Amino acid sequence: MGGHGVKLQYLRHPILAAKKAGSRLSTRAHMWTFAYHGKRRFRGDPRYDLQNVTDGFRVQIDDRADDAPILKRVCEAYIRTVQDQGPECGWYQASRRWQEIRQRSLEPVLRALRTQDISALGRMYRNFFRDPCSAGILGAPGGLAGAYFSGRIKDVHRHFYLSHVLYRLDYWKSLTNGRYITSDLAGPGVGNPFGVIIDGTHISVGAEYSHYCAHRVREQLDRECATVGEVGGGFGRMAYYLLRDRPGTRYIGFDLSENVALASYYLMRALPNLRFLCYGEKAITRESLAEADVVMLPRFALNVIPARSVDLTLTSHGVSELSTDELGHYIREISGITDRSLLFMSNRVASQMISECVRRQSPAFALESSCESGWHSYKVSGAGVGGTASADALTIVENSYSRNSHLKEVSAPFKPSEVAR
């Protein structure tokens, strides 16, 4: 049957086959529609050159540096994390969706981390933008890895991706009031990034949003040597922009063990002159934190960070998948380590849950500002899906909370049933 290209499961499950076929057709239709829309929207724009996509997807693996010492350190921290994350860390277990991603895509990288297979891990990490080891964090446009990574990219795919980038690039400029130039989005080139070349700058996928998050954090910092915490930082690009553009800032990242491993590699390669502290290398104390520029920790280490040792804590969609009782626990931990400000960026539904949890669990923090950003608004403005439900899911709400130093921190008993579901 393999010669006919028909999977046995589809013959046994025709409904599943129909759904998959419908999904493929829907994706293809959206791509054609959006590509056509973008082509019209950017007609005459000198940036709208399909060659910019071809150039941005060229392979550029940097294997000149000896990254074995970094990889060894990453593996050792990962192993210590797995050993220490027992049943008592239940609050911090991966969501069901992420567990499925692990089973489907991450087993090779998890095995390399567990066995300290430096050679295999290095091959994956040096290509992580295009390798399954970053599944759940990164992926080919539209999920079409074959269309973008296997050779010549078809024009419809180039039109689709270039339109996507230019919409977001223009939105980034408008949100930041033209304060930055395109070259500010340049990355360190770690991980064989893909993207487009605009004005001579390689803009990797999602760079404009990560840079915007770093911009929002910088806006709220008033101490020269501030400490910033981030829950769910992915592979570390927001941290890269923040540390690159605001010297003297200390960064503490919390995430799932495999994401911490990847982010540690990325940041160590990108910022080799900074001092790093990985999980288990030292006890987490005020003194050990003060000796480091970057601290990379699993999520369950939130409960060992000294109280109010972080000036601002950010999470961009980092707690959106939590259940209401898990979210309440996270809010208590995050507010406990944070001295001044909380910045939560999430969709509307998650934002309502977070706001209610902050009100009940952390009354010492008051909402200072709230705004909505439309990073995906072009998808509901004639170029894509449309509809109120889609708009709610795609709109990002940015809520900033400040600690009222005159209030004593008293957490109300957490009752999941009282939080909007």
Side-chain angles (χ1 to χ4, degrees):
M1 292 184 62
H4 296 285
V6 179
K7 293 187 177 181
L8 181 61
Q9 63 173 328
Y10 292 168
L11 295 178
R12 291 175 176 170
H13 304 286
I15 296 178
L16 175 62
K19 286 183 177 180
K20 286 184 174 292
S23 177
R24 286 195 297 269
L25 288 173
S26 176
T27 298
R28 191 170 300 174
H30 168 66
M31 179 170 289
W32 277 97
T33 301
F34 185 66
Y36 176 72
H37 182 97
K39 187 177 180 180
R40 288 193 307 161
R41 166 67 176 80
F42 295 104
R43 181 181 291 123
D45 189 322
R47 302 172 302 172
Y48 200 84
D49 182 345
L50 297 186
Q51 186 63 36
N52 290 339
V53 180
T54 300
D55 293 341
F57 274 78
R58 293 190 192 283
V59 173
Q60 48 179 336
I61 295 178
D62 181 8
D63 55 5
R64 294 168 297 177
D66 179 14
D67 54 8
I70 292 175
L71 292 167
K72 186 174 187 300
R73 194 174 175 187
V74 166
C75 287
E76 290 172 347
Y78 174 83
I79 292 171
R80 287 191 292 264
T81 298
V82 172
Q83 291 173 342
D84 291 353
Q85 185 167 339
E88 68 277 7
C89 299
W91 291 111
Y92 306 101
Q93 300 296 333
S95 67
R96 178 175 299 178
R97 183 188 73 89
W98 193 264
Q99 291 178 29
E100 292 173 353
I101 291 173
R102 280 176 174 166
Q103 295 174 0
R104 185 173 62 249
S105 305
L106 300 183
E107 181 51 36
V109 69
L110 298 180
R111 186 187 314 115
L113 286 164
R114 288 194 305 266
T115 62
Q116 299 192 60
D117 188 341
I118 301 301
S119 178
L121 187 63
R123 286 194 299 272
M124 288 182 275
Y125 276 5
R126 285 189 287 272
N127 189 45
F128 77 79
F129 270 83
R130 310 171 193 229
D131 189 275
C133 73
S134 61
I137 301 175
L138 286 165
L144 301 174
Y148 285 94
F149 297 151
S150 60
R152 183 178 179 275
I153 306 173
K154 292 181 180 179
D155 282 357
V156 63
H157 297 135
R158 293 196 293 173
H159 281 297
F160 171 79
Y161 187 64
L162 184 56
S163 300
H164 167 83
V165 171
L166 292 182
Y167 269 110
R168 291 172 66 90
L169 184 60
D170 288 348
Y171 189 66
W172 166 73
K173 290 181 178 179
S174 69
L175 280 184
T176 57
N177 298 313
R179 175 178 173 181
Y180 304 101
I181 58 177
T182 304
S183 61
D184 289 320
L185 295 178
V190 176
N192 193 14
F194 65 86
V196 298
I197 305 293
I198 301 292
D199 299 330
T201 297
H202 187 279
I203 303 174
S204 61
V205 58
E208 63 291 312
Y209 179 72
S210 297
H211 188 277
Y212 171 73
C213 290
H215 159 79
R216 290 284 283 122
V217 169
R218 291 196 301 272
E219 282 186 321
Q220 298 190 39
L221 297 178
D222 54 9
R223 291 179 178 174
E224 183 176 351
C225 298
T227 297
V228 173
E230 183 179 20
V231 178
F235 69 89
R237 184 164 47 195
M238 190 292 298
Y240 168 74
Y241 286 131
L242 177 66
L243 295 167
R244 182 195 69 179
D245 298 338
R246 198 178 190 277
T249 301
R250 178 177 297 106
Y251 173 83
I252 307 177
F254 305 90
D255 211 328
L256 298 172
S257 54
E258 57 269 25
N259 294 346
V260 171
L262 178 57
S264 298
Y265 172 82
Y266 176 77
L267 292 171
M268 286 182 187
R269 284 289 309 274
L271 302 164
N273 295 325
L274 298 186
R275 301 166 297 173
F276 283 78
L277 174 61
C278 297
Y279 179 73
E281 292 181 335
K282 288 183 179 180
I284 302 300
T285 63
R286 293 187 186 276
E287 291 72 25
S288 64
L289 294 178
E291 294 171 355
D293 301 307
V294 181
V295 183
M296 301 301 295
L297 301 171
R299 288 187 176 189
F300 65 79
L302 275 165
N303 60 19
V304 301
I305 296 293
R308 299 180 67 165
S309 58
V310 175
D311 292 287
L312 178 149
T313 301
L314 159 75
T315 177
S316 173
H317 305 282
V319 295
S320 298
E321 294 185 348
L322 299 178
S323 65
T324 51
D325 53 345
E326 290 171 332
L327 183 59
H329 179 83
Y330 268 85
I331 295 298
R332 287 196 299 272
E333 297 286 0
I334 291 171
S335 60
I337 69 170
T338 306
D339 185 53
R340 297 194 175 195
S341 304
L342 304 173
L343 178 57
F344 293 106
M345 305 170 77
S346 58
N347 61 39
R348 284 175 179 164
V349 173
S351 175
Q352 292 173 357
M353 294 174 62
I354 291 170
S355 294
E356 184 64 15
C357 281
V358 171
R359 184 179 71 83
R360 292 183 177 277
Q361 301 300 305
S362 306
F365 282 92
L367 182 65
E368 184 174 85
S369 64
S370 180
C371 64
E372 293 186 351
S373 56
W375 283 96
H376 304 289
S377 61
Y378 58 86
K379 294 183 178 179
V380 291
S381 60
V385 292
T388 303
S390 297
D392 286 342
L394 295 173
T395 298
I396 298 176
V397 180
E398 304 175 22
N399 285 343
S400 178
Y401 302 83
S402 294
R403 181 185 287 274
N404 186 334
S405 59
H406 300 294
L407 291 179
K408 183 178 180 181
E409 183 78 39
V410 178
S411 295
F414 182 66
K415 298 180 181 179
S417 61
E418 295 179 348
V419 180
R421 293 183 181 274

